[in-house]
Amino acid sequence: MKRNLVVILVVLAALGAMISAGVVNYRRRQQDRAKLEQLQAMIAGSAPPANAAGADPDIPENPLEGKIAPPFTLKDTAGRKVSLSDYKGKAVIVDFWATWCAPCKVEIPWLEKFHDQYASQGLEILGVSEDDLDLKDKAKLLKEKQDIADKAVEMKINYPVLIDDAEVSTPYGGIDGLPTTFFIDRNGKVVASTVGLVPRDMIEADIKKALGGGGQS
C-alpha cells in the first residue's frame, strides 16, 4: 500500500513538473512572439506600445539627461583619435552598439539616413562599438578591431565608428542594453537618451531636440 502511494506521489510530482514546464515554455513563446511582432511593426514604421521596442520599463531615466555629456577620446576604425570636443557647436548622437546586436542592425540604417538628412544643419553621429575585445592578446585584438571595421563597411555606416576602450561606457551610466543612444545639443548637454530599439519617429524627434538646443555654431 505504501509502495503504491509512493508511486502515485512520484507520478503526480512528475505531472506537476511537466505542467509547470509547459506553462513556462508557453509564456516564453508568447513573449518571444510579442517581441517579434513589435520589431516587425517598428520596421514597418508603425509605433509600438510605450513599453515595447526592447526598452525595459524597469530601467530608470538616464541620470545624464539635462547634464553636460562626459568628454571622451577614442580611436576610430582607422586608428585616428576622435574626441567629443571635436564637435563643439554641433548636435551629436553618441550611439553605443555592437556588431552582434540585432536591434542595432535595424536602428543603424535609420541613423545613416538621418546623418544624410541633418548633417547640413549641424548633426554628427558617433557610433561607439561595445563589442568584446581581448585587450591582452594583441594579435587577437587587431583582428577583432578589423572585424568591427569590416562590419561598418558592410553596413555602409557613413559616420565615425569608434572602438570603446571599456572606460567610456562607465561615465555614461553603464550600458544596460544595446543600442543605447544619447542625444547631445550644441552646448554639449544631453537632452535625451534611449535604451533599446525605439520607433524611428522618436529618434528623429530627439534629433530635432538636440539640433534646437544651444546656440548655432
Side-chain angles (χ1 to χ4, degrees), residues 8-208:
I8 292 172
L9 290 175
V10 169
V11 171
L12 289 176
L15 286 173
M18 292 173 62
I19 293 171
S20 177
V23 170
V24 171
N25 289 333
Y26 173 76
R27 289 176 178 172
R28 186 175 299 162
R29 288 197 300 270
Q30 290 293 94
Q31 291 171 352
D32 290 344
R33 183 181 301 172
K35 289 179 180 179
L36 178 60
E37 290 175 352
Q38 290 164 4
L39 183 59
Q40 290 172 335
M42 293 179 70
I43 294 173
S46 59
N51 63 346
D56 189 338
D58 295 328
I59 296 176
E61 181 177 335
N62 194 289
L64 282 179
E65 290 191 24
K67 298 180 180 179
I68 296 298
F72 61 80
T73 299
L74 295 173
K75 289 185 178 181
D76 65 13
T77 52
R80 297 181 293 259
K81 288 186 177 180
V82 176
S83 299
L84 181 61
S85 60
D86 295 339
Y87 303 97
K88 185 178 180 180
K90 288 179 175 283
V92 181
I93 294 176
V94 178
D95 182 58
F96 291 91
W97 70 288
T99 58
W100 47 262
C101 167
C104 300
K105 294 175 183 178
V106 176
E107 182 197 56
I108 285 173
W110 297 346
L111 295 181
E112 292 168 353
K113 292 180 180 179
F114 286 138
H115 184 267
D116 288 339
Q117 183 177 351
Y118 291 104
S120 63
Q121 298 181 38
L123 176 70
E124 187 53 82
I125 302 175
L126 301 176
V128 182
S129 168
E130 288 298 299
D131 287 87
D132 293 331
L133 299 175
D134 190 337
L135 301 178
K136 296 180 180 179
D137 187 329
K138 291 185 178 180
K140 190 174 181 181
L141 177 61
L142 185 63
K143 182 182 183 304
E144 290 168 341
K145 289 183 175 180
Q146 187 59 50
D147 289 342
I148 295 171
D150 292 344
K151 192 64 177 180
V153 171
E154 178 186 329
M155 298 178 71
K156 300 179 180 179
I157 297 179
N158 57 359
Y159 48 82
V161 172
L162 313 181
I163 310 297
D164 192 359
D165 57 5
E167 296 181 1
V168 171
S169 59
T170 300
Y172 276 80
I175 304 303
D176 294 317
L178 294 175
T180 292
T181 310
F182 294 86
F183 300 82
I184 304 169
D185 72 9
R186 299 177 191 272
N187 286 335
K189 185 173 68 175
V190 177
V191 295
S193 64
T194 58
V195 178
L197 184 62
V198 300
R200 188 180 189 278
D201 291 346
M202 183 183 295
I203 295 174
E204 186 167 20
D206 286 337
I207 287 173
K208 291 178 178 179

